[in-house]
Amino acid sequence: MSDTIDIYQNFFSATSRLWHDGLSLKNLGESGELINTPLQYDSWVNLFMVIFFTLSVVMIIKARGYLSYKFHNLTRRPLLNSTILFEASKKASYLTYFIYQGIFVASLLCYAYVIEAGALPLASDNVRYLALGLFALAFLGYLAIRKCAIVITHATFFDRQQRNMSKMERHFFLALESATLLPAAIAYMYLGCSAEKSIFVAILMIIISKTLSLYKQYLIFFSKNSRFLRFFLYLCTLEAIPVAILIGILGFITHTLSTNF
């Protein structure tokens, strides 16, 4: 209650100065002082979180038929010519939204972690937006690198039907992994969880989703020949190497920002 009274007193005090020429209109704080708003109170970040939550609910409702089919056949080998799959996949495009949403939410969690760990002592809100933008570009670059590696590998070693089945499965699991990031960000922003715990839960959910995704890829490409070595090389090329590149890029961005700001 006292905080509210102080806010009103400061407001009316500042307003009264407009009608008295003898009073100073100098802003609070020292000249040149940088303003650092906590992430939880950043107006733009909160606006985007509200938009993301609303659109996520809408997309889930629109794609509920496809999601129902996928979850009922989570551990089965996909059937490309299935009528049920064809009808349900008409709404699969709604899940693409979660992939682009996940880029921003992942950059938000990454920023929160490096701030909490003290690796990036940023001093102003403008630098925050720069860091969020660079982290988002890093995750977008990760998806681009992974996409190129998948296209080259699949075009070289696998037939068209296998590629089509794989594409549909990868799209679903990537959207699922991206969607799990939003609850983690909400837990950090509004429920008082630390960035480390929120990211740990998100990574745990991503690992479960990634395991199921790799199992489906194994059923599509390698189950007939049982060539475990080829699957291991496939795993390293399309999963481990892009993640290693992503971690290196994120570390470089953090080091560069902490050095220059």
Side-chain angles (χ1 to χ4, degrees), residues 198-217:
S198 300
I199 293 175
F200 175 79
V201 173
I203 291 177
L204 181 62
M205 297 302 296
I206 290 174
I207 289 175
I208 295 174
S209 175
K210 187 69 69 177
T211 302
L212 291 172
S213 176
L214 292 174
Y215 176 69
K216 296 299 281 287
Q217 300 300 315

Side-chain angles (χ1 to χ4, degrees), residues 10 19 46 63 85 108 119 123 136 139 147-148 162 171 227 229:
N10 292 333
W19 310 103
N46 282 283
L85 176 60
L108 184 68
F139 284 105
K147 177 68 174 180
C148 291
Q162 289 176 317
H171 179 268
R227 296 180 179 178
L229 179 60

Side-chain angles (χ1 to χ4, degrees), residues 108-128:
L108 184 68
L109 289 172
C110 183
Y111 172 85
Y113 176 77
V114 296
I115 291 296
E116 187 177 278
L120 189 60
L122 300 183
S124 70
D125 294 343
N126 291 332
V127 181
R128 167 186 298 158

